[in-house]
Amino acid sequence: MDVLNKVPVREQDAKVRATNFEEVCLGYNQDEAMEEAARCINCKNAQCIKGCPVAINIPGFIEKVKEGDIESAYQVISASSALPAVCGRVCPQESQCEGKCIRGIKGEPISIGKLERFVADWAREKGIKPEGAKEKKGKKVAVIGSGPAGLTCAGDLAKMGYEVTIFEALHEPGGVLVYGIPEFRLPKEDVVKKEIQNVESLGVKIETNVIVGKSVTIDELLNEEGFSAVFIGSGAGLPKFMGISGENANGVFSANEYLTRSNLMKAFREDSDTPIMRGKKVAVVGGGNVAMDAARTALRLGAEVHIVYRRSEEELPARVEEVHHAKEEGIIFDLLTNPVEILEDENNWVCGMKCIRMELGEPDASGRRRPVEVPGSEFVIDCDTVIMSLGTSPNPLISSTTQGLETNKWKCIVADEEFGKTSKEGVYAGGDAVTGAATVILAMGAGKAGAKGIDEYLSK
């Protein structure tokens, strides 16, 4: 057995997957999982746990996989994580648990994410559910938003014995898991829906089509509806734009709208009634995971796709795996390139994007080298569709309709990092609504912190 290198993970061939929306990574079977688990040296001072925002007992579950006791491995994971099949697919393990793995000092780290995915998928196929509360506490908690922060907070509170209701603005629960992440990375029916059902099996109720701030306010939930505490996990769904000329042209989209049409509204399917722009040449502006998702979706809808990013590949914020997959599939990377104008034809449709070359100067406040324009280097990218993927901010509806809820200059809710406590009594918050757009697992960590804070508050 090769202890220095990961057991390879099977994937769809790049040329084949670029034409379909089926999952790219096929995951481990049990023999492969047990072989990979056997590489773990079961450290006494496990750094991998410190790298996990939800503090899964990683050596504990891997040890059970080694033994072939997959059901016990699942219970170890689900004690800490409400969404293991999701995390095993979309977490940036390379910068978290796997990034801390001692095995990675000499050789490759343990493939923790793929093992987590295997265990969660095995449990789902066997119909195994997480263990719920043994005693009820007789108190009601409202959770706003059914994304990763809300689902995690709700699941943890239900395990503690609270009666939890999630209020979701959209017609389907899941938040960014259903509207933001494409099918080829995260299957909706087989994975997301089943993970949500696991949370519901703990006793959590989910009410959809409830827009908190319009349908009902937080003050009404606390004062009239009998809830003892509220957790806000409403995410950050308000897209940002560059403010350059031509952004209002036909054929310019936010990545949020583009992905929501495809993922939530199923526009990628031939039998869908939802329209989506099937451009011939698409430019995606941005370098994060959402930009990769939008680019790879546009590719599958038949376009030639360019990723336009103002820094170099080294500074790309997207996961290494996503960049690798995008390149394999044929997406063109225009790096050190910044848009300055979107060009329109006589009917106000996109007909190109004027850009300028960049070079990297001194580091800025983020520690990354600041991109600087190269004079006289303007050129035009030929395109008929532009997708802006520049990040998102929280919708101000909740904060503007809740008395005494403090926000910062970015309209993010101000909350204590350790417990999610806000300026309003009995109200806690976490995830993108507090931090701005971040990762699924960081939102889950915030959901756990919020559940802990609410339990402490209601136990006084």
Side-chain angles (χ1 to χ4, degrees):
M1 182 180 126
D2 181 359
V3 296
L4 293 181
N5 296 303
K6 293 179 178 181
V7 173
V9 181
R10 290 164 291 120
E11 295 178 344
Q12 273 199 79
D13 178 80
K15 289 182 180 177
V16 175
R17 70 180 190 244
T19 65
N20 67 50
F21 279 79
E22 293 166 19
E23 194 167 12
V24 169
C25 179
L26 304 178
Y28 285 145
N29 59 33
Q30 186 161 339
D31 288 342
E32 291 165 338
M34 289 176 70
E35 184 181 345
E36 178 62 21
R39 295 179 59 234
C40 177
I41 55 178
N42 201 7
C43 308
K44 288 181 180 176
N45 182 19
Q47 297 300 305
C48 54
I49 299 176
K50 296 175 184 176
C52 174
V54 296
I56 292 170
N57 180 359
I58 293 168
F61 99 76
I62 291 179
E63 190 63 28
K64 294 298 180 185
V65 175
K66 276 187 202 177
E67 297 167 4
D69 185 358
I70 313 305
E71 182 170 355
S72 293
Y74 175 72
Q75 296 302 348
V76 170
I77 295 172
S78 65
S80 301
S81 174
L83 306 167
V86 170
C87 289
R89 288 167 164 83
V90 303
C91 264
Q93 289 97 2
E94 65 277 2
S95 62
Q96 294 179 163
C97 54
E98 292 182 21
K100 303 274 188 188
C101 177
I102 300 299
R103 173 59 80 190
I105 294 172
K106 289 184 179 179
E108 294 183 310
I110 304 301
S111 196
I112 298 168
K114 298 299 187 288
L115 289 175
E116 181 182 19
R117 169 188 164 154
F118 162 73
V119 170
D121 288 356
W122 184 94
R124 182 183 69 246
E125 288 160 10
K126 303 290 183 185
I128 296 165
K129 302 287 185 184
E131 295 173 351
K134 293 179 172 59
E135 293 180 18
K136 300 294 183 185
K137 297 200 174 180
K139 291 182 179 178
K140 289 169 60 179
V141 179
V143 172
I144 301 169
S146 64
L151 289 169
T152 299
C153 185
D156 278 16
L157 287 168
K159 288 175 187 174
M160 294 172 189
Y162 293 99
E163 186 182 330
V164 186
T165 303
I166 296 176
F167 297 100
E168 168 56 49
L170 295 175
H171 62 282
E172 267 188 50
V176 71
L177 305 176
V178 293
Y179 75 73
I181 303 175
E183 190 77 16
F184 53 81
R185 281 184 63 209
L186 187 62
K188 307 301 170 242
E189 290 293 325
D190 290 343
V191 176
V192 178
K193 195 169 276 190
K194 296 291 170 52
E195 296 269 76
I196 292 170
Q197 287 170 359
N198 282 347
V199 173
E200 289 178 302
S201 75
L202 298 168
V204 174
K205 298 174 192 168
I206 301 177
E207 292 190 23
T208 55
N209 299 308
V210 179
I211 302 173
V212 174
K214 285 197 172 182
S215 310
V216 66
T217 66
I218 285 177
D219 293 299
E220 287 169 347
L221 290 172
L222 289 169
N223 301 329
E224 299 173 24
E225 301 294 333
F227 290 97
S228 301
V230 174
F231 177 80
I232 304 169
S234 50
L238 192 63
K240 296 177 183 176
F241 288 87
M242 291 186 71
I244 60 176
S245 176
E247 270 187 322
N248 291 324
N250 297 319
V252 179
F253 298 87
S254 69
N256 252 32
E257 178 188 349
Y258 189 80
L259 290 169
T260 298
R261 285 174 179 272
S262 181
N263 301 332
L264 180 64
M265 310 303 291
K266 310 299 182 192
F268 71 88
R269 294 194 334 207
E270 295 295 333
D271 60 350
S272 173
D273 292 330
T274 301
I276 193 166
M277 187 76 177
R278 293 177 182 259
K280 292 180 180 175
K281 292 189 176 182
V282 175
V284 178
V285 181
N289 290 325
V290 176
M292 298 304 143
D293 287 344
R296 296 173 69 199
T297 296
L299 181 86
R300 284 159 171 76
L301 292 172
E304 173 189 297
V305 184
H306 292 246
I307 290 272
V308 181
Y309 182 61
R310 66 192 186 126
R311 287 184 162 98
S312 70
E313 182 166 350
E314 196 173 308
E315 286 83 26
L316 277 169
R319 290 185 68 193
V320 172
E321 183 179 47
E322 301 309 318
V323 175
H324 170 68
H325 282 156
K327 285 183 173 178
E328 276 190 331
E329 291 165 8
I331 286 167
I332 300 157
F333 282 72
D334 290 309
L335 302 172
L336 291 168
T337 300
N338 201 38
V340 293
E341 181 185 358
I342 295 168
L343 307 176
E344 306 172 57
D345 65 17
E346 63 276 8
N347 296 314
N348 301 116
W349 281 92
V350 173
C351 64
M353 187 165 70
K354 187 185 288 186
C355 300
I356 190 165
R357 300 286 183 198
M358 311 293 284
E359 60 186 11
L360 295 179
E362 295 301 311
D364 61 16
S366 72
R368 296 184 298 175
R369 292 172 66 193
R370 186 189 301 276
V372 180
E373 291 185 359
V374 177
S377 64
E378 291 88 352
F379 70 103
V380 172
I381 292 176
D382 181 26
C383 58
D384 57 17
T385 307
V386 174
I387 300 171
M388 290 291 180
S389 181
L390 306 167
T392 53
S393 58
N395 189 316
L397 178 62
I398 288 175
S399 57
S400 66
T401 57
T402 307
Q403 290 185 346
L405 190 64
E406 185 186 349
T407 58
N408 62 23
K409 65 181 180 180
W410 298 285
K411 304 298 183 187
C412 294
I413 296 166
V414 175
D416 164 61
E417 191 175 332
E418 188 177 1
F419 297 112
K421 183 173 170 46
T422 72
S423 57
K424 187 174 178 67
E425 181 79 9
V427 177
Y428 293 72
D432 291 3
V434 170
T435 61
T439 62
V440 167
I441 190 65
L442 288 176
M444 290 176 65
K448 287 188 81 65
K452 187 178 172 184
I454 288 170
D455 180 50
E456 191 172 283
Y457 170 70
L458 295 180
S459 298
K460 288 177 182 176

